[in-house]
Amino acid sequence: LVAGLGLCLGWGCAASLSPWCLSAQLRRPGDFVLGGLFPFGKDTIKLAARSEPTPVICDRLFTDGLLWALAMRFAIEQINNSSWLLPGVTLGYDMCDTCFEPLVALQPSLLFLTRNGTRAIGVLCDYSEYQPRVTAVIGPHKSDLCLLTAKLFSSFLIPQVSYGASSEALGNAELYPSFYRTVPSDKNLVEAVVLLLNHFGWNWVATVASDDEYGRGAQALFLSTASTNNICIAFEGLIPTDPAEPEAGKQLDSTINLINSTKVNVVVLFAHSLPAQALLERSLALGLPKKVWVGSEAWLLSDIATSTPGVQSVGTVLGFVMRTGTVPGFQEFVAELFSSVAQEEFCQRSREMSGLGSAEELDTHCRQCANVTLGDIWPMLGVTPTQPVHVAVYSVAHALHRALGCTSKGCPKTAIRSWQLLHFMNTLPFEVNGQSFRFDQSHGTNTGYRLILWAWRDGTVTYQPVGDYDQSLYVRASQIQFHTADKKEPTSECFRRCQPGQFRRIKGFNLCCYDCTDCPENTWSSTDRTSCSPCPQHQWAPARSTRCLDRTERFLSWAEPLALCLLTLTGTAAALSCGAALLFLRHLQSPLVQLAGGARSLFALLCLLLQSLGCCLLLGRPSAALCPLQQPCHALCLNGCLSSLLPKALEVTLVTEFPRRAPRLLRWVTHGRAWLLVAASILTQVLLCWCHLHLGPDYLVADYESLPSEVLLVCGTRSWAAFALLHGYNSCLAFLCFLCTFMVQTPGRRYNVARGITFATFIYFIVWIFFVAIFATLRTVLRAVTQIGTILATTLGILGSYFVPKCYILVFRPDLNTGDYCQSLSEEQPEEERH
């Protein structure tokens, strides 16, 4: 006798539905009727008659279903008595038992879809004006049943609000547009479990799930989430939902043996109470060592699991249960109902009001009656979460309030179709007992979880709260006493955790078999990860680093020892150039200086001086303004020197190789007209410098790859064609001078001016052959060193081979500075012709 609902209605076994199932219907009319689907269990329910001395033994499945049904009726009576939510409108209910069976749940679902006042379902093209038997549906509890019924109700766009289905598949609003739930989804539960495992450092776990929609869905979510959070799954398995199946025992034994072989200390269990109880019972029977069992509300709060003999020895049981508030006045409501049920007049009125004949629609007949007392269900009032049912009813009531356009004075008497409620349920929040709720995009509400611990006191379990989860996890670890000898959390790791700056190098196919390897340079890792993160381009990191460091700039600075050596050589070259120029200036009219070119030699020394000082452009931090000037300055200075030597080289070759034509051509390469040749050559080089600046000048390069910890600042070559055009002209001048002088022979009594030009140009070619080969391949600070060295080597080579021997004669052998010894070839040739 389900007296707690205020209806003296017998429960019969409906043989046409299932040989185990108890099914019935409880109905109360109203302006708007809400359908209710509640589980009252199978034939495992055991009720004792009041006349017997033994107490009533009430199965948890039946107790939960009864309390949920009472919570729905309590909410409806509150709403009907309210003067502000639906004034002038009454809500009725049509409650049916699902028996935890899909086939049984399908039959009342089809009954709810029948046209109001009939027993037929209309087959229409347009259901916008269709009025079903109920306006909305509350329930059922299990995800398996909701996946079946939600397809039916979504086809008619009838709002269905579940108070227990947590499967993530039901969150697809496109497949189930009218399905809602007042509990968090499995995705939220899995996130909380993963955070708990990470909190205690458990990265080697086993996971077991019941072979139903809830277990498979939650386990799949856990596997995908765990893999992205560095948690390794040693074993994953499914257990049968019905322990009475013939192969259930073998499957349970196999699962336990595999868990034992993995040596894990943590088992994550997603299952309902019956399969969870069977697994724990077989674990104790097979002597499975104590583990940490992490579970969910589906079995943690079940008296079926806690009543397993010896379950205290299973280890430490932790898990998450939905964080729900209390429903004010509900306990008083239940107590008042049970006191009223004792009166026969109340039961008679209940039969007349509900119409017992309606139960015949489900083919259920009363065969025997039993009694349930308040004492049977009172202990479960503080355990069974009834707020989700309460919130589910109020969500529909608030949607009706907005759809009808109710005011404080009343609600208009207008016809409302079920599909019209969906808009208001999707968009607007609602308030229940001072707490605000709102359905998210997946039509669910996330109220958070409490972390509870099975704490045993004198053989009785208490559910001790030890933490909370609401987007983030808070654990009161000091309140948790584990099953270990020191009461501390056990370890459950495949291998040791890698140190900061290391990563896990996977071995083979098992993600949990790995070696800890140091992160290479320019990568970092701060946690136990499977790979190292690369540093940004502007940063670097040494091997086994936990963070990236900013790169320092690298260039040839003035303070470096190498730069100081180069500056010393630069000063030496500049000093030699100045000394030679002063010496030549002092003996400008002497035969030796005139033989060397006279004023043109001074100009060549000036160019060498400027070329030496130009090395300073290559020292210090390069910039976008300095880089384009380096190559043109060097090329112009070198061109000025070579252009000054060119007239003398041409003079020598004309006299020695073309003696008959020499008298007519010598005037263009000697005396004042030789300056025209110098000017023309320099002007040509200026034009080539202009082309270089427009075709592809050097530019500032920030090189992050050549050096491990520094950013190399160098002047890069944008166009090698422009570079070759710029320096190729000087090479042509040098080659022309070399050709004009290297075969010239002078009598022993004469000074051989051609030999100095030959050696000067020969040194130039040797230096530039090495320079081009090295300069094109270098990407370090030595690039600038190479260019400075090339400039200084060329300068010192020309000075040493052409000017220094003449300075030696001017200073130490002035007796050779005579017209006979230093006679020009163009002056002595006519004398030879006369002979």
Side-chain angles (χ1 to χ4, degrees):
L1 183 67
V2 188
L5 282 171
L7 300 171
C8 296
L9 182 62
W11 296 83
C13 297
S16 61
L17 298 178
S18 171
W20 307 283
C21 181
L22 300 174
S23 182
Q25 179 189 359
L26 305 170
R27 180 170 175 81
R28 170 176 287 181
D31 296 328
F32 296 96
V33 177
L34 304 185
L37 296 173
F38 299 99
F40 292 100
K42 298 183 179 181
D43 61 345
T44 55
I45 300 175
K46 300 176 182 179
L47 298 174
R50 274 187 186 169
S51 58
E52 297 179 1
T54 56
V56 175
I57 304 173
C58 192
D59 186 89
R60 173 65 189 273
L61 301 177
F62 175 77
T63 305
D64 285 346
L66 181 61
L67 289 176
W68 288 330
L70 287 171
M72 179 174 176
R73 174 174 172 174
F74 175 65
I76 289 176
E77 290 195 3
Q78 274 191 329
I79 295 168
N80 288 338
N81 294 328
S82 171
S83 60
W84 63 273
L85 188 54
L86 292 174
V89 175
T90 59
L91 295 181
Y93 55 80
D94 200 347
M95 300 183 190
C96 295
D97 182 14
T98 65
C99 297
F100 283 109
E101 290 290 339
L103 182 61
V104 179
L106 184 61
Q107 188 168 356
S109 299
L110 293 173
L111 178 64
F112 292 160
L113 294 176
T114 59
R115 190 187 298 272
N116 193 19
T118 70
R119 297 184 182 181
I121 299 177
V123 180
L124 307 173
C125 294
D126 183 6
Y127 284 91
S128 59
E129 297 299 325
Y130 186 79
Q131 185 64 55
R133 180 185 178 99
V134 299
T135 303
V137 178
I138 307 301
H141 177 263
K142 289 184 65 176
S143 297
D144 304 66
L145 304 184
C146 284
L147 285 171
L148 177 65
T149 59
K151 293 180 180 179
L152 286 175
F153 296 130
S154 292
S155 300
F156 289 79
L157 294 182
I158 297 177
Q160 177 186 4
V161 188
S162 174
Y163 50 87
S166 59
S167 173
E168 184 65 17
L170 292 166
N172 191 332
E174 294 183 357
L175 293 179
Y176 310 103
S178 68
F179 178 83
Y180 300 84
R181 56 182 161 206
T182 54
V183 294
S185 71
D186 289 337
K187 181 179 180 181
N188 304 114
L189 172 65
V190 165
E191 290 174 353
V193 171
V194 168
L195 287 177
L196 178 67
L197 297 178
N198 283 331
H199 177 81
F200 288 108
W202 296 327
N203 62 0
W204 181 244
V205 301
T207 174
V208 182
S210 53
D211 193 7
D212 54 17
E213 177 60 32
Y214 166 74
R216 291 190 300 269
Q219 188 182 68
L221 279 173
F222 174 72
L223 292 176
S224 62
T225 307
S227 63
T228 59
N229 286 270
N230 302 324
I231 296 175
C232 299
I233 307 302
F235 168 75
E236 57 179 283
L238 297 175
I239 55 177
T241 56
D242 188 358
E245 293 179 3
E247 299 295 324
K250 292 182 179 179
Q251 192 170 349
L252 288 170
D253 292 350
S254 175
T255 300
I256 294 169
N257 290 331
L258 288 172
I259 292 175
N260 193 33
S261 65
T262 60
K263 306 299 181 182
V264 299
N265 288 325
V266 178
V267 180
V268 180
L269 177 59
F270 299 104
H272 290 288
S273 54
L274 287 177
Q277 184 266 345
L279 180 66
L280 295 176
E281 186 176 12
R282 293 303 299 168
S283 300
L284 295 170
L286 294 177
L288 183 71
K290 291 183 178 182
K291 309 288 184 185
V292 175
W293 297 83
V294 180
S296 63
E297 188 172 1
W299 64 273
L300 275 177
L301 300 181
S302 172
D303 55 353
I304 294 178
T306 56
S307 62
T308 303
V311 72
Q312 300 96 319
S313 303
V314 78
T316 303
V317 179
L318 280 169
F320 292 93
V321 298
M322 185 173 53
R323 188 169 59 194
T324 60
T326 59
V327 180
F330 180 63
Q331 292 186 346
E332 293 80 1
F333 169 78
V334 173
E336 184 180 352
L337 267 182
F338 271 86
S339 63
S340 300
V341 164
Q343 304 174 12
E344 182 60 30
E345 294 81 2
F346 181 84
C347 290
Q348 182 64 32
R349 289 196 304 270
S350 297
R351 286 193 184 94
E352 294 172 356
M353 181 181 65
S354 62
L356 185 57
S358 61
E360 297 176 357
E361 296 178 3
L362 294 181
D363 191 25
T364 59
H365 302 280
C366 179
R367 295 187 179 183
Q368 60 183 0
C369 293
N371 296 312
V372 180
T373 65
L374 180 62
D376 299 327
I377 66 170
W378 189 261
M380 305 311 299
L381 279 172
V383 177
T384 302
T386 56
Q387 189 192 38
V389 180
H390 197 72
V391 173
V393 176
Y394 266 88
S395 68
V396 177
H398 278 277
L400 276 172
H401 173 88
R402 289 156 182 156
L404 289 170
C406 297
T407 65
S408 58
K409 297 180 180 180
C411 296
K413 295 293 184 178
T414 58
I416 293 295
R417 303 292 182 255
S418 298
W419 59 268
Q420 293 176 294
L421 302 180
L422 298 181
H423 168 73
F424 301 100
M425 297 184 70
N426 288 339
T427 57
L428 297 176
F430 57 95
E431 188 174 297
V432 181
N433 296 326
Q435 186 177 356
S436 180
F437 295 89
R438 184 170 193 159
F439 293 112
D440 55 25
Q441 293 182 348
S442 59
H443 294 179
T445 58
N446 184 12
T447 56
Y449 293 93
R450 286 186 297 114
L451 177 63
I452 66 169
L453 168 72
W454 277 11
W456 294 92
R457 300 290 186 273
D458 300 327
T460 302
V461 65
T462 58
Y463 306 111
Q464 178 182 347
V466 291
D468 294 282
Y469 171 77
D470 188 1
Q471 307 302 325
S472 60
L473 178 66
Y474 171 70
V475 179
R476 294 184 286 275
S478 60
Q479 299 181 6
I480 303 177
Q481 292 188 352
F482 290 91
H483 59 270
T484 54
D486 57 358
K487 305 301 181 182
K488 300 295 183 180
E489 68 270 12
T491 59
S492 188
E493 298 177 328
C494 175
F495 287 99
R496 67 185 186 280
R497 281 186 174 271
C498 293
Q499 298 298 318
Q502 294 182 324
F503 73 101
R504 292 181 293 169
R505 186 183 297 277
I506 306 300
K507 299 190 300 184
F509 298 99
N510 195 326
L511 293 178
C512 277
C513 294
Y514 56 85
D515 290 328
C516 290
T517 307
D518 292 348
C519 290
E521 289 185 350
N522 292 327
T523 61
W524 65 278
S525 175
S526 59
T527 56
D528 191 20
R529 301 165 63 182
T530 57
S531 62
C532 299
S533 301
C535 291
Q537 188 181 47
H538 66 281
Q539 292 182 324
W540 76 286
R544 193 173 180 177
S545 180
T546 58
R547 63 187 181 94
C548 293
L549 306 173
D550 291 334
R551 289 177 179 265
T552 57
E553 293 182 345
R554 182 71 173 96
F555 50 85
L556 188 59
S557 65
W558 294 85
E560 289 188 41
L562 184 58
L564 294 176
C565 293
L566 293 175
L567 282 174
T568 303
L569 290 176
T570 300
T572 303
L576 287 175
S577 300
C578 289
L582 292 175
L583 192 61
F584 269 50
L585 180 61
R586 180 179 179 182
H587 301 87
L588 183 61
Q589 301 303 323
S590 66
L592 182 60
V593 175
Q594 290 298 316
L595 178 65
R600 295 194 306 274
S601 296
L602 289 175
F603 181 74
L605 289 170
L606 177 62
C607 291
L608 291 179
L609 173 62
L610 293 177
Q611 182 171 258
S612 301
L613 297 178
C615 293
C616 296
L617 294 176
L618 300 168
L619 290 172
R621 189 184 189 279
S623 64
L626 286 177
C627 284
L629 300 178
Q630 292 176 358
Q631 299 298 336
C633 289
H634 170 45
L636 275 174
C637 293
L638 183 60
N639 180 266
C641 179
L642 294 175
S643 298
S644 300
L645 299 179
L646 180 62
K648 179 58 66 175
L650 292 175
E651 177 186 352
V652 170
T653 194
L654 285 174
V655 172
T656 57
E657 301 298 330
F658 307 99
R660 297 185 180 276
R661 297 182 181 180
R664 296 193 306 272
L665 298 176
L666 281 175
R667 63 177 177 267
W668 294 101
V669 295
T670 57
H671 305 297
R673 292 187 179 183
W675 285 104
L676 294 176
L677 183 60
V678 174
S681 178
I682 294 176
L683 180 61
T684 302
Q685 185 66 53
V686 170
L687 291 176
L688 293 176
C689 289
W690 181 85
C691 293
H692 176 268
L693 292 175
H694 283 77
L695 290 177
D698 289 0
Y699 64 102
L700 180 63
V701 176
D703 184 2
Y704 293 96
E705 298 178 358
S706 298
L707 301 177
S709 62
E710 299 168 310
V711 51
L712 178 63
L713 299 180
V714 294
C715 293
T717 303
R718 189 186 303 274
S719 171
W720 285 103
F723 179 88
L725 186 66
L726 181 66
H727 294 284
Y729 179 65
N730 286 337
S731 299
C732 292
L733 288 180
F735 186 66
L736 181 60
C737 293
F738 181 79
L739 285 179
C740 293
T741 58
F742 85 103
M743 292 295 291
V744 174
Q745 293 192 11
T746 303
R749 66 180 185 277
R750 297 286 188 267
Y751 181 79
N752 191 350
V753 70
R755 185 180 298 134
I757 298 176
T758 302
F759 278 107
T761 53
F762 182 70
I763 292 173
Y764 166 82
F765 282 121
I766 292 177
V767 171
W768 271 81
I769 288 173
F770 284 100
F771 165 71
V772 172
I774 297 174
F775 188 77
T777 57
L778 275 179
R779 297 292 293 175
T780 65
V781 73
L782 295 178
R783 184 183 176 99
V785 175
T786 303
Q787 192 165 356
I788 295 174
T790 301
I791 295 173
L792 293 177
T794 304
T795 303
L796 293 173
I798 295 175
L799 285 172
S801 60
Y802 188 77
F803 292 101
V804 170
K806 296 173 179 59
C807 293
Y808 175 80
I809 293 175
L810 292 175
V811 176
F812 298 103
R813 296 296 301 275
D815 56 305
L816 297 178
N817 189 8
T818 62
D820 293 336
Y821 185 73
C822 300
Q823 186 177 11
S824 174
L825 292 177
S826 61
E827 295 177 355
E828 72 175 359
Q829 185 65 23
E831 296 179 1
E832 294 178 359
E833 289 180 356
R834 286 194 296 270
H835 291 296

